[in-house]
Amino acid sequence: LSPIIGKVFNGLVMAYGYEGDDISRPKMLLNANRCLLSLVMKLSEAQLRPLYARLREWRGDIGDETEVSLVRRYSFWSLSAELSKSLRSIFLPCLTSVLTDVIDELEIAVSLLCKQSKKAEGSKRRRIEDTDRSVTDIDSVKPLQPLLLCLESALKADAHEGGDWTRGDDKQRYHMILNHLGKLLLAQIPKEVPLLSDLTPKEKNSTSGYQQLVQGVGTLEYGNVVGCLTSLAAAAGNEQLWKPLNFAVLEACGHKRSEVRKAGIRCLLSIIETIGEEYMVLLPECLPVISELLEDDDEIAAMAKECVRQGEELLGESLEDSLR
């Protein structure tokens, strides 16, 4: 990096390493990201990559669970999301350079949020250990939301370019991402996880962490699982790759937890709205599950009905007989 860019870089990493509270830190990150973007817009692609590599080096290892590391990981995915959103396909080579980090972060999130629930039993010491671990887990999950936003923006850009990046490495890239995002549909999100959203304080109090981080309630511009899966489907671009994604969505639609069923049908509706007629090849697989959801609670049933309505509109025929 040139001396001038190096000085700006040093100032930025000081801002990105700021260890304030959950109110002041997002404001600091917002301003730091604006500054970074202004700098990047004056650079060539050849200059962008070493700058991004330096930021990755500053972030450190994904497996480091110290407070400083968690702050840096959150900042790194926040700045990556800003670059991904603004640079679109130009950012994809940078994302390729940290793809293993993306998968590692998703693996951490899955391991922490998708544990099988166990009966409360055991000694007092065991219960205390579980409580201590859950506090650490909350901090470890913080980088997930900006990571999801970064990934969603990149997948949208790739879908616009034809999806070659997503289908890269003989489609292994797609399957690695899908494997973890599909599991996150079944996650259990602690209420204490701080999330960015458009919700008012009153709305936030009545909206669960799962609704925000997985379903996308109030977080359409901040990162969520359903938005990321929708963009992944759009970038995949063919029936062969849609099938395992559709299976994961339908699995969520049939889950015993109402919030998971709601996320599943919300995701299916979002995919149908985004992809349209091409996705109708998988509608026969969806109809038995949709039929069940038509008898669910009002909000789930309404989204199931909308899936049917859009399916009928796209196919130009009634689906009434298929739903019996």
Side-chain angles (χ1 to χ4, degrees):
L1 301 178
S2 71
I4 294 177
I5 294 176
K7 289 179 180 178
V8 176
F9 176 86
N10 291 336
L12 283 169
V13 296
M14 287 180 64
Y16 284 130
Y18 174 67
E19 298 179 26
D21 56 34
D22 292 327
I23 297 175
S24 60
R25 262 188 59 71
K27 294 178 181 177
M28 176 68 81
L29 280 176
L30 179 64
N31 290 321
N33 286 341
R34 284 174 177 167
C35 181
L36 175 65
L37 190 59
S38 296
L39 171 64
V40 167
M41 289 302 185
K42 300 181 186 304
L43 303 179
S44 66
E45 289 185 49
Q47 291 172 308
L48 169 63
R49 293 178 195 180
L51 174 65
Y52 191 70
R54 284 280 297 275
L55 288 165
R56 183 196 189 192
E57 182 183 353
W58 165 82
R59 182 210 64 205
D61 295 332
I62 295 294
D64 188 346
E65 294 294 313
T66 63
E67 185 176 350
V68 170
S69 175
L70 291 169
V71 166
R72 290 186 176 192
R73 279 166 52 194
Y74 186 94
S75 295
F76 179 77
W77 295 119
S78 174
L79 69 88
S80 296
E82 184 66 36
L83 293 176
S84 182
K85 219 170 17 170
S86 301
L87 302 181
R88 298 181 60 78
S89 60
I90 293 173
F91 180 72
L92 291 176
C94 291
L95 187 59
T96 302
S97 71
V98 296
L99 187 61
T100 55
D101 299 337
V102 171
I103 301 304
D104 287 345
E105 288 280 15
L106 291 174
E107 282 182 356
I108 290 171
V110 167
S111 69
L112 296 175
L113 301 175
C114 302
K115 296 173 182 174
Q116 294 295 322
S117 59
K118 299 176 182 178
K119 294 181 180 179
E121 58 184 2
S123 65
K124 180 179 179 182
R125 179 182 176 186
R126 174 66 178 273
R127 290 196 296 273
I128 291 172
E129 287 174 350
D130 287 345
T131 302
D132 290 344
R133 186 170 67 249
S134 68
V135 172
T136 305
D137 290 356
I138 290 169
D139 290 334
S140 300
V141 169
K142 285 181 181 179
L144 178 60
Q145 188 181 30
L147 169 65
L148 290 171
L149 180 59
C150 172
L151 197 52
E152 180 183 348
S153 300
L155 291 168
K156 281 181 180 177
D158 186 48
H160 185 72
E161 298 292 326
D164 289 341
W165 183 88
T166 302
R167 296 188 296 271
D169 296 332
D170 196 26
K171 303 180 180 64
Q172 289 183 41
R173 185 175 295 166
Y174 170 84
H175 288 293
M176 284 193 299
I177 296 171
L178 171 60
N179 180 44
H180 295 91
L181 290 180
K183 290 175 183 175
L184 286 173
L185 282 173
L186 313 181
Q188 298 187 51
I189 312 297
K191 181 71 175 176
E192 299 82 4
V193 174
L195 298 168
L196 296 178
S197 74
D198 292 325
L199 301 174
T200 65
K202 184 178 180 180
E203 290 170 333
K204 207 170 180 69
N205 286 334
S206 61
T207 307
S208 71
Y210 183 92
Q211 288 175 295
Q212 295 174 65
L213 188 58
V214 180
Q215 294 178 9
V217 177
T219 57
L220 296 181
E221 300 297 324
Y222 299 97
N224 63 83
V225 175
V226 166
C228 214
L229 275 168
T230 301
S231 297
L232 182 64
N238 67 61
E239 180 186 353
Q240 179 188 5
L241 295 180
W242 286 333
K243 273 185 172 292
L245 187 152
N246 196 58
F247 178 84
V249 172
L250 294 182
E251 183 182 27
C253 288
H255 201 271
K256 63 182 179 181
R257 284 163 52 205
S258 174
E259 63 180 2
V260 178
R261 295 197 302 277
K262 194 175 294 183
I265 193 64
R266 185 188 292 269
C267 190
L268 180 60
L269 178 57
S270 177
I271 290 170
I272 291 173
E273 289 174 339
T274 301
I275 297 176
E277 188 175 355
E278 291 180 44
Y279 201 76
M280 291 299 97
V281 67
L282 293 176
L283 190 61
E285 295 179 16
C286 304
L287 289 177
V289 176
I290 292 175
S291 181
E292 292 286 332
L293 295 181
L294 289 171
E295 306 299 323
D296 214 305
D297 70 46
D298 291 347
E299 191 175 351
I300 292 175
M303 286 189 282
K305 287 176 184 175
E306 181 60 17
C307 285
V308 173
R309 188 195 70 76
Q310 293 211 20
E312 289 178 333
E313 188 175 296
L314 289 165
L315 293 171
E317 61 185 58
S318 173
L319 296 172
E320 187 176 348
D321 291 340
S322 304
L323 292 168
R324 289 175 182 171

